[in-house]
Amino acid sequence: MNAASRLSKEYIMSAPQRHEPLVCLTAYTAPVAKALDRHCDLLLVGDSLGMVVYGMENTLGVTLEMMINHGKAVMRGSRHAFVVVDMPYGSYETDATLAVENARRGIDETGCGAIKIEGGAELIAIYQALAAASIPTVAHIGLKPQSVVKEGGYKVKGKSDHEALSLVADALSIEKTGVIAIVIEGTIEGAANKIVDAVSVPTIGIGASAACDGQILVSDDMLGLFTDHVPKFVKQYAQLAQNIDAAAALYAGDVRARRFPGDVNVYKNMS
Ligand code: KIV
């Protein structure tokens, strides 16, 4: 693996000037990272892995150890994309010293390019502490999956002028701390556009706006692998769950009919 060929944070940050949308997807494992890598500018090891990999109900049970292990796997499987690792719920929000300590573990133990945290102006002290510790940070505003239990569900943001202005204020205050990009999730298009117009750092949309400087989807959603709930903002580019079902049915039929293993699948002699 040639680490020198990996995209840099400067490349990610220059997206608005280049007018080239950033292609971003989540990845959690080495083989999937390997398949996505050459097509993507940024791979996010998202804490969405709690649901799509571990079958949890939400992201709140994800631990830093899980994120670090999956971050290592994605770094091993990729060599081109800039890799960002999510900081899980409880690892950064309440204490700036703990946030820096955990974020440093995330970066040092995985070798990723940046970490991501969810929050706006209410976390300004945390963003500032991460910046002071030179930890490249991506912000996540709008719908914040780590807040869905507290907020009573997945609620689209920016519906009122007041909410839209407050999101713009969040983005502007976070930008000043030196974040390298801002993910805008689950936000009314008009409000997302106001954020895009207000800031100079790249914005990466998910259920936000085509005007964002990049787009991200959960790869398992995009690949049709996670089908428990398919939100409006997801476009499925494959139906992997159906493919796996069909393959498993063929395999089961072969095993039950003793068609597998065939002659070509067994070791005939010792040489
Ligand atoms: O955890 C995740 O996958 C994310 C994306 C939805 C942006 O944060």
Side-chain angles (χ1 to χ4, degrees), residues 26 28 44 46-48 86 116 140 183 185 206 216 218:
T26 65
Y28 317 103
L44 170 68
D47 63 351
S48 50
D86 258 349
K116 173 165 82 60
H140 183 148
V183 169
E185 176 166 0
I206 170 163
I216 187 161
V218 169

Side-chain angles (χ1 to χ4, degrees), residues 40-240:
C40 290
D41 299 306
L42 184 152
L43 289 175
L44 170 68
V45 187
D47 63 351
S48 50
L49 63 76
M51 284 100 83
V52 301
V53 177
Y54 288 92
M56 296 172 168
E57 214 173 297
N58 53 52
T59 59
L60 303 193
V62 174
T63 65
L64 185 59
E65 273 60 39
M66 287 158 79
M67 296 311 303
I68 288 173
N69 284 335
H70 286 274
K72 284 180 186 168
V74 168
M75 286 298 290
R76 284 186 208 112
S78 63
R79 59 180 187 180
H80 163 75
F82 184 76
V83 174
V84 178
V85 173
D86 258 349
M87 296 297 290
Y89 177 73
S91 69
Y92 62 90
E93 314 87 310
T94 52
D95 179 340
T97 309
L98 183 70
V100 169
E101 201 176 290
N102 285 335
R104 204 180 288 294
R105 278 192 64 195
I107 300 263
D108 290 351
E109 293 183 32
T110 66
C112 72
I115 53 92
K116 173 165 82 60
I117 65 173
E118 292 182 13
E122 77 285 0
L123 287 194
I124 209 71
I126 306 292
Y127 283 109
Q128 285 166 342
L130 292 168
S134 303
I135 293 173
T137 301
V138 173
H140 183 148
I141 62 171
L143 190 160
K144 293 170 287 184
Q146 292 177 9
S147 302
V148 293
V149 171
K150 195 170 65 194
E151 294 183 358
Y154 291 86
K155 303 212 167 106
V156 174
K157 303 294 177 186
K159 285 187 174 166
S160 65
D161 283 352
H162 171 73
E163 233 181 44
L165 286 176
S166 150
L167 284 170
V168 171
D170 275 345
L172 285 170
S173 59
I174 296 163
E175 178 180 37
K176 282 201 199 95
T177 68
V179 294
I180 64 174
I182 301 177
V183 169
I184 309 171
E185 176 166 0
T187 297
I188 297 289
E189 187 185 37
N193 288 345
K194 285 192 169 78
I195 301 170
V196 175
D197 289 344
V199 298
S200 316
V201 283
T203 51
I204 300 172
I206 170 163
S209 165
C212 289
D213 303 293
Q215 298 296 326
I216 187 161
L217 283 176
V218 169
S219 52
D220 296 51
D221 287 340
M222 183 279 279
L223 295 169
L225 188 55
F226 184 76
T227 53
D228 290 6
H229 169 66
V230 183
K232 172 187 168 69
F233 60 78
V234 169
K235 181 170 175 184
Q236 287 183 334
Y237 289 84
Q239 273 74 42
L240 291 198

Side-chain angles (χ1 to χ4, degrees), residues 9-31:
K9 79 172 191 292
E10 288 73 22
Y11 180 84
I12 300 298
M13 292 181 79
S14 66
Q17 288 74 51
R18 286 185 287 107
H19 302 290
E20 283 169 17
L22 292 168
V23 179
C24 316
L25 281 170
T26 65
Y28 317 103
T29 64

